[in-house]
Structure formats: structure tokens, C-alpha cells
Amino acid sequence: MNRSQSGSEQVAEAWRRHRPYLVNLAYQMLGDVGDAEDVAQEAFLRFSRTEIERIEDVRGWLTVVASRLCLDQVRSARVRYERPGEVQERPAPRRSDPADRVTLDDEVRTALLEVLRRLSPGERVAFVLHDVFGVPFESIAETVGRPEGTCRQLARRARAKFVAAQPKTNEVASAEHQLVTEKFITACANGDIAGLVAVLDPTVWGVGTILADPAPPPQINHGPQAVATNLLRYLWPDVTLVSGPAGGPALLAFTGRRLFAVIVLTIRGSRIAKLEAIADASARLGNAAERT
């Protein structure tokens, strides 16, 4: 971070660079985009109140703070869920949304979310930080407040539960896959067309399907510039993008904390070769109407 900047400028720069990552991190632990945005907001609020010039690794500092906030929230929710003598409310039926229309890995995604919910707070945080975001166990131990060896065991147990819940071919995203996905999310969040073009393969093509009645024909774009321009037309500035559960191949797009699109990435090497998007026009229009 540039030490010559003022405190407010440093916070603004950190917000632009790290907020998309932080929301995604929190979403992987909490499974709720609204809660994830609240955690990121609180983490940056605490960041703005610190002696910023003394923080050497801003991203690492924010990761620790956000992870602790998530850990507290998961523990609190678990206590409420397991408290004896209380009647547990049944969750309200989910309305039809774009994720319901995605075949192939939709059932897998649902199963992984259920496994995530059943993990202990320590297992969940250790697994998400290490296996999904590559945080070293030394840092995880500081966050969780347990010895490094214990954190390794927590992640190992969580990993075994995820492996048992998914097909052999559906592995946790590689570090390279995660890096490409993070760059894509950050570029979309900032309306950074140059950054978005940089993660797209020269031969990239994208196809977008709108769920509407009557349904328009799929929109197809070829080449980095055309694909990037069309994406930002729909995803910036008021959309939050997060990875699917456990770094899965699908990205979930929320507007006004409502899911309105699912984007499946095909990554070849260090670039995105294909994008397949399914969007719910009613959810997008409904949120726009609420803002007016």
C-alpha cells in the first residue's frame, strides 16, 4: 500500500482491491450473500479505525478480521440451531431462481451446501481458508485460536466430508482456477474492462440465456473485448459476484441480495475460454423497480 496516501485514500484503494475477495470469502463460510456483504462492511469499518500505516499486509489483515467475524457468526448460529427445547422453524420454500435451471452440477452444489452447514465452525473456517483460498495454517491458527496442528486436522476432516459428498471428477478448485476466478470477480466489481479482458482467452466466447416469457434468443459474443463489454453491461455497478460453494465452477450473481444469474466458467490454463450465463430477467427488473 502506498504510504504517501491519506488514510481515506488507503481505505478506498483497499476497498476497490479487496472487497470483492472479502465478500466471496465470507460467502463461502456463511452461505448468505447479505451476511457476507455485512461482514465485509464491518471488516472495512474496523480497518478504517486502525493505524493503517502500521499494517504491512492489508489483505491478510482483512482476511483475519473477516474470518473471525464469520467464525463468531457461525458459532452463534450453531448454538441457536442446537439449543435443546426450542422449536426449529422450517425454512421457507425457495422461489424458483436461475440456479434451479442449471443442470449437471446443481444437485452437487446443493449437497455441498448441506455438508458445509453440518461442519463445525472450526472445520468450516479451516477448510474454506486453506482449501479454497490458500491461506497457510499458521495464519488460520491465529484466526481460529487453536494450535496449527489442530487446524490441519479440522481441515482434513472437513475435506473428507466434502470428498464423500461429491463425484470423483468434481474436485475443489485448483489454486490457479481460484486465482483466475478472483481476478474475474474483482474486475467485474470495479467495472475494470482492461482487467477483465486480461483474464479472457483470445478465443473466448460467451453465451447468455435470459429466462423470460417469451424467451429471447441466446446472446452470443466472441472475443475478449465483446465478451467483456457485454458482461459489464449486466454485472456493473450494482451486482455482487461470488463463487459457488467450495470454489465450484459456477459464479452466482446477486443484485439487491437476490440471485439473478448463474455464470459457469470454462478455464483453460490461466485464462477463461468460455462463459455460459443464465439470467432471470424478472429478478433484475424487480430489483431495479425497488430502487426507483
Side-chain angles (χ1 to χ4, degrees):
M1 179 167 285
N2 190 341
R3 301 298 182 183
S4 64
Q5 293 177 313
S6 66
S8 59
E9 290 174 333
Q10 290 175 328
V11 172
E13 179 187 351
W15 178 273
R16 180 185 62 81
R17 294 180 59 186
H18 303 305
R19 181 182 179 275
Y21 156 79
L22 219 59
V23 172
N24 194 17
L25 174 77
Y27 178 80
Q28 302 304 310
M29 297 185 194
L30 302 176
D32 182 277
V33 73
D35 290 344
E37 290 177 336
D38 290 343
V39 163
Q41 183 79 18
E42 177 63 24
F44 273 99
L45 181 61
R46 297 187 183 192
F47 176 66
S48 68
R49 293 173 176 172
T50 63
E51 296 181 43
I52 297 175
E53 64 277 0
R54 299 182 62 178
I55 299 177
E56 295 295 333
D57 181 4
V58 173
R59 178 182 167 115
W61 189 94
L62 288 168
T63 297
V64 170
V65 172
S67 299
R68 286 175 175 169
L69 290 169
C70 289
L71 186 59
D72 289 343
Q73 188 161 328
V74 171
R75 283 172 174 165
S76 176
R78 191 176 183 87
V79 168
R80 292 195 303 271
Y81 183 81
E82 295 181 344
R83 186 173 296 157
E86 291 187 357
V87 177
Q88 299 296 328
E89 295 184 3
R90 293 182 179 271
R94 292 193 309 136
R95 70 178 186 88
S96 176
D97 60 40
D100 296 328
R101 317 296 178 93
V102 178
T103 57
L104 300 179
D105 59 355
D106 183 57
E107 292 184 4
V108 173
R109 186 182 306 111
T110 302
L112 293 181
L113 273 175
E114 179 62 19
V115 174
L116 187 66
R117 187 186 69 79
R118 293 181 179 181
L119 296 179
S120 71
E123 287 175 339
R124 187 186 301 196
V125 172
F127 174 77
V128 169
L129 285 177
H130 183 266
D131 283 50
V132 179
F133 289 93
V135 177
F137 281 112
E138 181 180 358
S139 299
I140 296 173
E142 178 185 353
T143 300
V144 179
R146 298 191 185 185
E148 185 175 334
T150 301
C151 292
R152 291 181 182 274
Q153 293 176 359
L154 291 170
R156 190 180 301 116
R157 289 204 301 265
R159 192 178 307 120
K161 294 176 183 178
F162 268 89
V163 170
Q166 58 187 315
K168 298 297 183 183
T169 55
N170 188 9
E171 300 176 353
V172 175
S174 67
E176 185 175 46
H177 184 141
Q178 176 62 32
L179 180 60
V180 173
T181 302
E182 183 181 326
K183 288 180 178 179
F184 178 87
I185 290 174
T186 301
C188 288
N190 291 307
D192 179 6
I193 194 165
L196 189 52
V197 167
V199 298
L200 300 179
D201 188 85
T203 63
V204 67
W205 65 288
V207 55
T209 303
I210 303 294
L211 301 178
D213 188 16
Q219 182 175 9
I220 300 176
N221 298 104
H222 293 272
Q225 194 69 33
V227 170
T229 300
N230 189 60
L231 276 170
L232 292 184
R233 183 178 298 131
Y234 290 97
L235 299 180
W236 188 76
D238 60 344
V239 170
T240 298
L241 272 180
V242 294
S243 299
L251 299 181
L252 309 180
F254 293 85
T255 179
R257 302 189 174 185
R258 296 173 61 189
L259 180 66
F260 92 94
V262 175
I263 304 171
V264 179
L265 305 179
T266 298
I267 297 177
R268 185 183 302 136
S270 59
R271 300 285 181 89
I272 298 169
K274 181 182 178 182
L275 300 95
E276 301 168 88
I278 302 176
D280 184 347
S282 62
R284 193 78 162 102
L285 293 173
N287 186 64
E290 291 172 4
R291 295 196 306 268
T292 59

